[in-house]
Structures are given as C-alpha cells and as structure tokens.
Amino acid sequence: MMWGDGLDYTEKEQKSIDKVARMNRFFDKVLMPTVGVLIIITLLFFIMDRVTEKWGKGANGESAAVSGEAAQQPEVFALRAKLLADYEKHTAAFADYGYEPVEGYAQDLALCKTVDDELTIYQFSDSALGDFTIVRYVPSTEKKAPYDSLSLTVSSETLLSVMMKQGEQSCAVAFTSVDFSSYKKDDSESYDTLMKTVSDEELKALYEIFETDIENLSKKCG
C-alpha cells in the first residue's frame, strides 16, 4: 500500500510509525526543559487559587472572591501584564534587556533571562492562566548553601509559590502575601520545613528582584 510520504509500508508498519509520531508529539508538549517540575507545581497552585477565588468559601463561610479596592494589586502586577501583552511591540527592548523566547512550554509566551551563573528569571503569559514570573536561584558550590536551588514563582499578590530543592528532596509553599507573612493552611508542614532552612530576608530578596526587574524592563520599553 502507498502511504502519503511516497514510501511503501504495510498497514502494521504504518500503525507503528503513527504510534511513534503520537508519542513524539506527546513528549514535545509535556516535557519542558530546565524548570519543568516547577512549572507543573506552579500551574497546580495557580489553578487551585483561581478556583478558590471564584467558587471557594473562606473560613467564616463568606465567598473568597473579592472586588473593588480589595481586588486591586500592587502596580508591579499591572505593569507586568502590560509589558507582556505588548511583547510584540517591544521585542527589541526585551532582547536588549536579556529576555529571549524559550521553546518547550505550553504557555502562549515564555521568556527567559540569565542574569548570571546563579540567577535566572522567567516570564510567562497565558490566555487561560494569566501572567507569572519565576525567579530561580542556584547558589554556587563554593557558597555551601543548605539547598541546591530556591525558586520564587510570582503569580499574583495573593499567590507566591516558593520551592526549595536539596538533592532528591523538594519543599513547596504557596504564600498569600507579598511580605510572606501568610500562606495556605494546607502547606503548614512544608512551611515549617522551608523556614528552617530559608530566612524571610532571602524570600523578600527574591521578590525584590522580581519587582526591580519589571520596573527596569518598563524603562527599557519606554
């Protein structure tokens, strides 16, 4: 039998080829480089947070959704949204500031900037999940840090996810304030583990990197 590519295959052979092609497409979509595990966890946190905001109930039985002034977020989030929405207009400015598109992610827009050997910043934008930023710190071996990597994912003012990795072990906490004073109750055990190793100052420093990066990028874009 003659198949579409001009070569002769039996029906059994073509089925095997089709199966391999489907597997390749699956892995192209699912396997993501560098921070794949972190992206998956981030998306889970983000989706749960969105569901809670829309349909969840607070501890006092009131709806978790907010509106008006309570829904307003710090200016940096609106600034980030505008910058990512205007990416096509400011592609050259993004590149000049170190941001380049990266492939392998399911989001509509995925950008990465390598600050130095220890610090990498990712910017993601998605029509369904919104915008989020990952600040990933991997200390050099000379520093003998108590962890292999520390990542902060900033989705919104009320959803900041921190992941610490040490060898095969990892610890993730979803914070609900930009000063890291509150976190999701389900993460209390992970919070205790995290804070035995990482200080408030380290977390706040990562958040300040996020804010400063967005502000400086805005200046680049004019």
Side-chain angles (χ1 to χ4, degrees), residues 86-206:
D86 292 341
Y87 172 71
E88 296 298 331
K89 185 192 305 183
H90 301 297
T91 302
F94 271 80
D96 187 52
Y97 192 52
Y99 276 108
E100 296 289 349
V102 285
E103 298 180 353
Y105 298 92
Q107 285 67 44
D108 299 332
L109 178 64
L111 305 170
C112 175
K113 180 176 76 170
T114 301
V115 179
D116 53 36
D117 292 339
E118 297 183 323
L119 190 67
T120 309
I121 304 176
Y122 296 83
Q123 301 289 352
F124 294 93
S125 183
D126 187 78
S127 56
L129 298 174
D131 306 320
F132 59 99
T133 303
I134 296 177
V135 180
R136 187 168 186 261
Y137 172 62
V138 180
S140 62
T141 53
E142 290 79 6
K143 291 185 177 179
K144 297 181 180 180
Y147 50 78
D148 291 336
S149 67
L150 185 65
S151 300
L152 169 66
T153 301
V154 184
S155 299
S156 70
E157 181 186 16
T158 56
L159 182 58
L160 303 93
S161 306
V162 175
M163 172 181 276
M164 178 184 68
K165 294 193 69 176
Q166 176 60 49
E168 297 298 318
Q169 303 298 316
S170 63
C171 172
V173 180
F175 288 89
T176 55
S177 63
V178 295
D179 61 358
F180 302 96
S181 62
S182 58
Y183 56 92
K184 291 187 178 296
K185 292 181 179 178
D186 291 345
D187 290 346
S188 58
E189 185 175 340
S190 296
Y191 173 82
D192 291 340
T193 301
L194 176 70
M195 301 314 292
K196 287 178 181 177
T197 306
V198 181
S199 66
D200 286 339
E201 287 72 22
E202 288 177 277
L203 299 182
K204 291 176 181 177
L206 289 180

Side-chain angles (χ1 to χ4, degrees), residues 2-44:
M2 182 72 73
W3 298 94
D5 58 4
L7 298 177
D8 292 322
Y9 299 110
T10 65
E11 184 174 358
K12 183 177 181 181
E13 288 172 336
Q14 184 62 35
K15 286 182 178 179
S16 297
I17 293 170
D18 291 342
K19 182 177 180 181
V20 171
R22 287 195 301 272
M23 289 175 64
N24 286 337
R25 287 195 296 270
F26 172 79
F27 283 108
D28 284 342
K29 292 180 180 179
V30 175
L31 294 183
M32 299 174 291
T34 310
V35 290
V37 173
L38 180 61
I39 293 293
I40 293 171
I41 291 176
T42 297
L43 293 179
L44 290 174

Side-chain angles (χ1 to χ4, degrees), residues 66-74 157:
V66 293
S67 61
E69 292 185 5
Q72 294 180 3
Q73 294 191 341
E157 181 186 16

Side-chain angles (χ1 to χ4, degrees), residues 49-88:
D49 188 68
R50 284 297 175 87
V51 170
T52 301
E53 286 182 358
K54 270 197 167 185
W55 310 109
K57 299 292 183 179
N60 57 2
E62 296 178 356
S63 172
V66 293
S67 61
E69 292 185 5
Q72 294 180 3
Q73 294 191 341
E75 184 179 353
V76 65
F77 293 96
L79 189 58
R80 178 182 63 180
K82 185 178 186 305
L83 288 170
L84 295 181
D86 292 341
Y87 172 71
E88 296 298 331

